[in-house]
Amino acid sequence: MSFEQISYLAQIVASVGVIVSLVFVGLQIRQNTGALQRNEHNSTMEQWTVIRQAIAQNRDVAELMTAGLKGERVLDPADQLRLEMLLNENAWASFHIWERTKRGIFPKGTFELSCGAHLCGLLTTPNGSAWWRTARQTVFPPAFVSDVDALLTKT
């Protein structure tokens, strides 16, 4: 075998090595992307768990949400602030699911089927809709507001 043939053989082996390396890197990227998506999902669930647990473990918070949203009682300034903060937390947690759905981290329709319906339930109450009229203009990105408003028109 001549040096020229050995050179050609070495180039072929090197080319195969490069292709195998690229396939390996592609698999690694795919696995890493899956892990990142799982972390995003876990982070989102942690945000919602804090809200759910606040309501489930504290009767005062649950009563504030139910009576406060429906306008069944007049809220003093402290309770009004608490209700607004709870609405804000629900809306921001919903925003994160909306944003992750838009980026393709969550499957299409996740926002509408999961927290979109819940958020609309809050925002169609008397005090929830009053809060949304203000918050939609000052707090949230316009694209999110448009999507929430579209869901609200369907309810």
Side-chain angles (χ1 to χ4, degrees):
M1 190 179 263
S2 70
F3 284 123
E4 183 177 359
Q5 290 173 329
I6 292 172
S7 172
Y8 290 144
L9 181 62
Q11 288 177 2
I12 290 171
V13 170
S15 296
V16 169
V18 167
I19 291 170
V20 169
S21 295
L22 289 174
V23 169
F24 178 75
V25 168
L27 292 172
Q28 290 292 315
I29 289 172
R30 178 179 245 174
Q31 287 177 341
N32 190 33
T33 300
L36 290 172
Q37 288 175 333
R38 178 48 91 203
N39 286 339
E40 289 277 348
H41 178 72
N42 290 343
S43 173
T44 301
M45 291 309 298
E46 286 175 26
Q47 293 167 346
W48 276 106
T49 297
V50 170
I51 295 168
R52 287 191 305 266
Q53 289 302 314
I55 295 167
Q57 293 178 349
N58 189 327
R59 183 172 183 84
D60 181 47
V61 173
E63 288 175 354
L64 175 66
M65 287 290 288
T66 55
L69 286 171
K70 293 178 184 176
E72 293 175 349
R73 65 179 166 111
V74 176
L75 301 178
D76 65 23
D79 278 348
Q80 183 63 40
L81 179 62
R82 290 173 63 208
L83 178 63
E84 290 172 3
M85 289 299 105
L86 286 166
L87 287 168
N88 197 48
E89 287 302 312
N90 273 276
W92 273 113
S94 298
F95 167 77
H96 288 292
I97 291 178
W98 173 85
E99 190 266 338
R100 290 168 181 154
T101 302
K102 292 292 183 190
R103 284 194 294 143
I105 293 171
F106 295 156
K108 185 176 174 74
T110 298
F111 168 71
E112 293 81 2
L113 294 174
S114 62
C115 61
H118 169 71
L119 185 61
C120 286
L122 297 176
L123 300 181
T124 54
T125 63
N127 285 336
S129 63
W131 175 82
W132 181 242
R133 280 191 297 276
T134 301
R136 67 184 301 282
Q137 297 173 4
T138 58
V139 179
F140 297 99
F144 174 71
V145 170
S146 295
D147 284 356
V148 171
D149 286 345
L151 284 176
L152 287 169
T153 60
K154 292 178 184 177
T155 58

